[in-house]
Every structure is written in structure tokens, then in C-alpha cells.
Amino acid sequence: MRIILIFICLLIGTSTLQAQNSLWGPSVSYQYQKGSIVKVGGYYATEINNTNILKIDATANFTWTQGKYAVIPEVAVAYYSDMYYIGAFGRAEITPYTITPKVGLSLFTLFEVDLGYGLPIADKTDYRPIKGFTTSIRFNIPINSKF
């Protein structure tokens, strides 16, 4: 029953961005890049035309690596090309320590999976360099949808 309810909510969400020009709300994600990172933040997405979307995120990355806890701020920009139900996107994330270009797939702009490579721009004190291949799973929750 729970799976059916989730599926119905996703179907309702398919028309969400088509019914309005922008969405905003919280996002939650998990990323693996030299360790586990949980990201919590907010996003704003807007239509560029009928099928392309531009999204801006601001998140706090919570990580526990090398026996140390850290919170790293992040800003990201994503461009969704030909977004219908499933769409490809390109994404660039920047923290004080890395720039990470990514590519991925999005389902209804609510669920995203991506892959990328973190390029170091600075080292975090008392941490090994945060760089290399990365993958993440992200959930975007639209607050202003017209349900």
C-alpha cells in the first residue's frame, strides 16, 4: 500500500513544473566522495522553455571522515535538457575545497542520480584532499506545487 501511495504522489508531481514556471523547496541527498556525505539544503528551479529547466541549490554537507566531523557549505547549478518524465542533466557543484562537474538522470525532477569528478581547489586543514570520483542520490521536495 505504501508503494502505491508513493507512486500516486510521483504521478501527481509529474505535472508540477508544467503547471507553473518555478519550484522551490528542501533537498536531501547522499554522496560518496572519499567518504560518506549527507547533504541538506534548499533549491530553486525555473523553466527556461517548455522542456529545459535551470536549478540552483545551496546545501550544507555533513561528513564524518578520518574520525572527524565537518560541515562544508556548497552551491550548485544544474541544467536539465529535454525534461519530460525522465531527463538528463549537467550539474556543477562548488565548495571551498572542490569544483565537481556531474552528469545524471532525473525522474520528475524529484529524484536524481548522478556521477562526477571532484577537482581540488584547496585542502581542508587536517583532512586528506577531498577529490576524485563521486556519485550521489538526491531527493527534491517541492513546497510550492499546485496539488
Side-chain angles (χ1 to χ4, degrees):
M1 184 66 179
R2 188 177 288 181
I3 292 173
I4 293 170
L5 183 59
I6 291 170
F7 183 73
I8 290 170
C9 289
L10 287 175
L11 285 178
I12 291 169
T14 61
S15 62
T16 302
L17 199 55
Q18 294 171 356
Q20 58 203 52
N21 293 334
S22 65
L23 291 174
W24 57 271
S27 65
V28 177
S29 61
Y30 170 80
Q31 176 175 314
Y32 184 83
Q33 181 178 13
K34 300 280 184 178
S36 294
I37 301 170
V38 173
K39 299 180 176 191
V40 178
Y43 73 93
Y44 175 79
T46 186
E47 280 185 340
I48 296 173
N49 56 35
N50 288 337
T51 59
N52 298 336
I53 299 169
L54 183 68
K55 184 175 89 168
I56 300 170
D57 295 90
T59 60
N61 300 339
F62 300 91
T63 182
W64 176 266
T65 53
Q66 297 174 272
K68 300 173 192 157
Y69 176 75
V71 178
I72 301 170
E74 177 182 274
V75 175
V77 176
Y79 175 77
Y80 299 80
S81 175
D82 295 325
M83 188 67 199
Y84 295 102
Y85 298 112
I86 298 175
F89 66 90
R91 181 178 173 89
E93 300 174 346
I94 186 164
T95 72
Y97 312 106
T98 59
I99 295 175
T100 308
K102 293 181 170 185
V103 294
L105 290 175
S106 178
L107 178 65
F108 305 123
T109 69
L110 300 175
F111 175 73
E112 301 172 354
V113 177
D114 58 40
L115 300 168
Y117 189 86
L119 306 166
I121 55 176
D123 288 334
K124 182 158 176 53
T125 308
D126 299 329
Y127 278 80
R128 67 178 180 249
I130 303 170
K131 63 180 180 179
F133 286 100
T134 182
T135 185
S136 61
I137 297 172
R138 185 174 309 99
F139 296 95
N140 300 308
I141 305 157
I143 296 287
N144 66 327
S145 63
K146 296 180 181 180
F147 291 142

